[in-house]
Amino acid sequence: MTKRGFPDEEFRARVAAAQEQMAAAELDALLLTEEADVAYVTGFQTRFWESPTRPWFIVMPGSGAPIAVIPSIGADLMARTWLTDIRTWRAPDYEDDGVSLLAETLAESVGRTGRVGVPMALESHLRMPLADWARLEDHLPNIRFVPDAGVLRRLRMVKSAGEIAKIETACAIAGRAFDRVPEIAAAGVPLDLVFRRFQMLCLEEGADWVRYLAGGAGPGGYADVISPASAHPLEPGDVLMLDTGLTHDGYFCDFDRNFSVGPPSAETRSAHARLIEAVQAGAEIARPGVLASDLFHAMDRIVTGGAGGSEAGRLGHGLGLQLTEGLSLIPQDDTVLVEGMVLTLEPGVTLGNGRIMVHEEDIVVTDGAPRFLSDPFGPEIAVLEGRA
Amino acid sequence: MTKRGFPDEEFRARVAAAQEQMAAAELDALLLTEEADVAYVTGFQTRFWESPTRPWFIVMPGSGAPIAVIPSIGADLMARTWLTDIRTWRAPDYEDDGVSLLAETLAESVGRTGRVGVPMALESHLRMPLADWARLEDHLPNIRFVPDAGVLRRLRMVKSAGEIAKIETACAIAGRAFDRVPEIAAAGVPLDLVFRRFQMLCLEEGADWVRYLAGGAGPGGYADVISPASAHPLEPGDVLMLDTGLTHDGYFCDFDRNFSVGPPSAETRSAHARLIEAVQAGAEIARPGVLASDLFHAMDRIVTGGAGGSEAGRLGHGLGLQLTEGLSLIPQDDTVLVEGMVLTLEPGVTLGNGRIMVHEEDIVVTDGAPRFLSDPFGPEIAVLEGRA
């Protein structure tokens, strides 16, 4: 376990770095509405984001500390972060759900004219009602809301030592849970019970939350990688895959493990070994200066012979405060790797009968060879008890 | 456990009801982007929504079945729903992340001109990048994107028998977990361990996911109701509150329980009894024809003497595919209750030293007295072992 949270200085450094980029992009403020962005600059953590009712706003001015404009139900919790300027309203307010308070705060931060950056690109969502967004623009006719120039997305891609430690802890928790899968899964056990028991293992091993779990099971492979579990019992010859994004102190791991129910077929063994080979090929070249697309091609050569991709769309992605964030390992992503980036390597192979197998590991880019944050699995697939 | 999913006829009935309202509001189609709306009309369930990378679109035309416009990674899972028209692209696509495919589908559904309703009001978010939203509008200069007239929000507020059964199952699972809290919590146990063990109990009792858990513990009450857990051990005299939103087959429960660590003080006992009295006062009048605001006032009279509310903002809310949805129990909400609405009654009291206590139950409105979906707790607070 790492110490919870981050020292205030880390938040100040994040904000200073953002403000430097904001100045370069001629942004007078940033407006943030999403859980991960809010957590990144404030340290505010709550599962209350699950409720869609209330919007939460952070105004980051061009200099000085961010300002929280939030529902009063969150005032006590926000006051425990490093922020000191916390403005609240009683939400939900059907007449004015924080819009005029936000407008005042923005006007105070940038003046009556100015450019406010808002995340608008891929992976971002505006977490407030569209009608309130229009009202906000009406309140501030001389302020321009413009794309945020990717400021936080870019900063968040490169993790601090403290962030990497949290992701590594999350990975270690999931690793211990994966090691114990033989305790909970065997032929005859319904897949939904495996899912439930696996979440319990994750919690027992120290997860704060099991925010993501997907997987599948089927003869020699599974049909997709995003399904919830059916009640179908595992059968000899099935390949079971569990892919978890549990969190530790707000940070995700995201990797999977495959298991053969009973002795694996030659095809299953070979497919698994090929996946591991692909991960190693990706890891082999994951160094500063290399492109995200290079990692894609290194893995794609192994799993498809260089066909250029699959319907899953990518062979890995960034990881941190979100299950998936930042770069994508696709041919079109020319992000240059730098030290501190955390990514998943997630090659997949297509087998007969519409079945697939996918393997995933988490790495951090260093100044030399990348470091695996998940304990990398070997070429031989794990085997579960094949008799019920 | 209820049978998973719903018969196709239920989805057809939901869509037909929506289309009737769409016709009245002169909407030629609806565009849906959020998890709960997509689940409501299709039955599509996955935890993959946790990944922000890919948008998912449902186009509901004025007549006929909805059309899915989704990333190819979800094609297999969507094909298991009742939808037959499923159009996919390989996401993420940095050039065109589904926007032109969505534009074509909309144009095909409403013609080159038409009015497309989009959820824009309180509680809704547009789950796609703002820049892509602007691109979509550019693709379709003669189509008007307008507020959705609350069509799905209104429909979703009134639950079918099948939906109520799922919420009741979720409540029963949480109820059994709450009954077992004395197994996992006592003086000396750190709050974060209580949180972790409580999630394990929820899973052991049958939860699919524990999407929400908040709570608090402190001498004679807690500071707020949305905090994650600290590592502070429970102490004699603490009041512990656990508030969970676990899901069964996509549907949430949302209720809490309070526990006194060791014998409760007179103030704690009295506060707890007052909360139960307030819940009963709300339930007493929760019948068809009554307003949401009436329930607020009935409870507020008991907990504050009629002060008109608290910083928490409301004394209950709708519940279903989302932890909170639909109506709010606030003075300004004039929603008329009708049979089949599921709501929480969630009064709070303010105690000394900035401490609060909150109690919450879940009910369904019937043609007579409401039915409790959570097993309503009595006036005497539960007591945990007070010695470590």
Side-chain angles (χ1 to χ4, degrees), chain A residues 48-87:
Chain A
F48 199 62
W49 292 95
E50 191 65 57
S51 165
T53 304
R54 298 174 179 86
W56 305 77
F57 305 111
I58 297 293
V59 175
M60 187 169 358
S63 63
I67 303 163
V69 182
I70 60 170
S72 47
I73 197 171
D76 188 88
L77 187 57
M78 189 63 83
R80 290 179 239 159
T81 71
W82 73 289
L83 296 206
T84 54
D85 191 344
I86 298 165
R87 308 174 184 192

Side-chain angles (χ1 to χ4, degrees), chain A residues 1 4 34-35 44-56 71-77 80 88-95 97 118-133 153 192 195-196 199-214 223-229 248 252 307-314 322-330 332-335 354, chain B residues 1 4 34-35 44-56 71-77 80 88-95 97 118-133 153 192 195-196 199-214 223-229 248 252 307-314 322-330 332-335 354:
Chain A
M1 294 291 148
R4 296 268 158 173
E34 291 194 90
E35 177 178 6
F44 185 72
Q45 281 190 37
T46 171
R47 288 300 296 144
F48 199 62
W49 292 95
E50 191 65 57
S51 165
T53 304
R54 298 174 179 86
W56 305 77
S72 47
I73 197 171
D76 188 88
L77 187 57
R80 290 179 239 159
T88 65
W89 81 98
R90 270 193 198 182
D93 182 329
Y94 291 171
E95 295 298 312
D97 208 34
V118 181
M120 297 188 183
L122 192 72
E123 300 199 332
S124 72
H125 312 121
L126 181 73
R127 194 184 176 281
M128 67 185 289
L130 267 191
D132 282 352
W133 172 243
R153 177 177 185 276
D192 57 0
F195 268 46
R196 210 167 270 132
Q199 292 178 76
M200 294 173 68
L201 288 182
C202 291
L203 290 159
E204 195 174 328
E205 293 295 343
D208 295 336
W209 311 103
V210 187
R211 289 179 62 161
Y212 183 69
L213 176 63
D224 76 0
V225 293
I226 70 166
S227 285
H248 168 71
F252 280 89
S310 72
E311 293 304 321
R314 53 183 178 175
Q322 289 172 301
L323 177 69
T324 74
E325 62 177 39
L327 58 78
S328 286
L329 302 187
I330 57 177
Q332 297 76 24
D333 194 315
D334 56 6
T335 307
Chain B
M1 294 292 148
R4 297 270 158 171
E34 292 195 88
E35 177 178 5
F44 186 72
Q45 281 190 38
T46 171
R47 291 297 297 143
F48 199 62
W49 292 95
E50 190 64 58
S51 165
T53 303
R54 296 174 180 86
W56 304 76
S72 46
I73 197 171
D76 188 87
L77 187 57
R80 291 179 240 161
T88 64
W89 81 98
R90 271 193 196 182
D93 181 329
Y94 291 172
E95 294 297 312
D97 209 33
V118 181
M120 296 188 183
L122 192 72
E123 301 199 330
S124 71
H125 312 121
L126 181 72
R127 193 184 178 281
M128 68 186 287
L130 267 191
D132 281 351
W133 173 243
R153 177 177 185 274
D192 56 1
F195 268 46
R196 210 167 269 131
Q199 292 178 76
M200 292 172 68
L201 288 181
C202 292
L203 289 160
E204 196 173 328
E205 293 296 344
D208 294 336
W209 310 103
V210 188
R211 289 179 61 160
Y212 184 69
L213 175 63
D224 76 1
V225 293
I226 69 165
S227 285
H248 168 71
F252 280 89
S310 72
E311 293 304 321
R314 55 182 177 175
Q322 288 172 300
L323 178 69
T324 74
E325 62 177 39
L327 58 78
S328 287
L329 302 187
I330 57 176
Q332 296 76 25
D333 194 316
D334 56 7
T335 307

Side-chain angles (χ1 to χ4, degrees), chain A residues 86-304:
Chain A
I86 298 165
R87 308 174 184 192
T88 65
W89 81 98
R90 270 193 198 182
D93 182 329
Y94 291 171
E95 295 298 312
D96 177 4
D97 208 34
V99 173
S100 63
L101 185 62
L102 175 60
E104 279 165 33
T105 306
L106 283 167
E108 194 185 307
S109 298
V110 308
R112 285 283 150 194
T113 62
R115 283 161 48 91
V116 175
V118 181
M120 297 188 183
L122 192 72
E123 300 199 332
S124 72
H125 312 121
L126 181 73
R127 194 184 176 281
M128 67 185 289
L130 267 191
D132 282 352
W133 172 243
R135 283 185 199 113
L136 181 67
E137 291 183 307
D138 289 346
H139 269 282
L140 300 167
N142 299 314
I143 284 181
R144 288 182 57 208
F145 293 96
V146 298
D148 70 343
V151 171
L152 277 202
R153 177 177 185 276
R154 208 160 36 238
L155 280 178
R156 283 178 43 202
M157 275 207 280
V158 181
K159 270 68 180 178
S160 70
E163 291 182 285
I164 293 166
K166 291 182 200 298
I167 298 169
E168 191 161 20
T169 300
C171 287
I173 292 166
R176 292 195 297 271
F178 278 127
D179 287 346
R180 293 178 60 190
V181 167
E183 295 175 22
I184 61 158
V189 182
L191 185 60
D192 57 0
L193 188 55
V194 172
F195 268 46
R196 210 167 270 132
R197 287 173 171 175
F198 183 72
Q199 292 178 76
M200 294 173 68
L201 288 182
C202 291
L203 290 159
E204 195 174 328
E205 293 295 343
D208 295 336
W209 311 103
V210 187
R211 289 179 62 161
Y212 183 69
L213 176 63
Y222 25 88
D224 76 0
V225 293
I226 70 166
S227 285
S230 75
H232 196 74
L234 296 178
E235 292 179 16
D238 278 359
V239 175
L240 164 70
M241 185 275 289
L242 294 170
D243 179 2
T244 192
L246 62 79
T247 63
H248 168 71
D249 204 15
Y251 283 79
F252 280 89
C253 66
D254 181 19
F255 64 103
D256 78 0
R257 291 292 178 256
N258 288 276
F259 303 87
S260 175
V261 181
S265 69
E267 189 194 24
T268 298
R269 291 184 63 188
S270 150
H272 190 268
R274 196 150 90 253
L275 291 170
I276 301 303
E277 190 191 342
V279 166
Q280 294 298 342
E284 183 72 30
I285 62 163
R287 309 224 170 184
V290 164
L291 307 185
S293 55
D294 294 332
L295 268 62
F296 171 85
H297 291 299
M299 291 188 282
D300 185 50
R301 268 193 292 275
I302 312 272
V303 289
T304 74

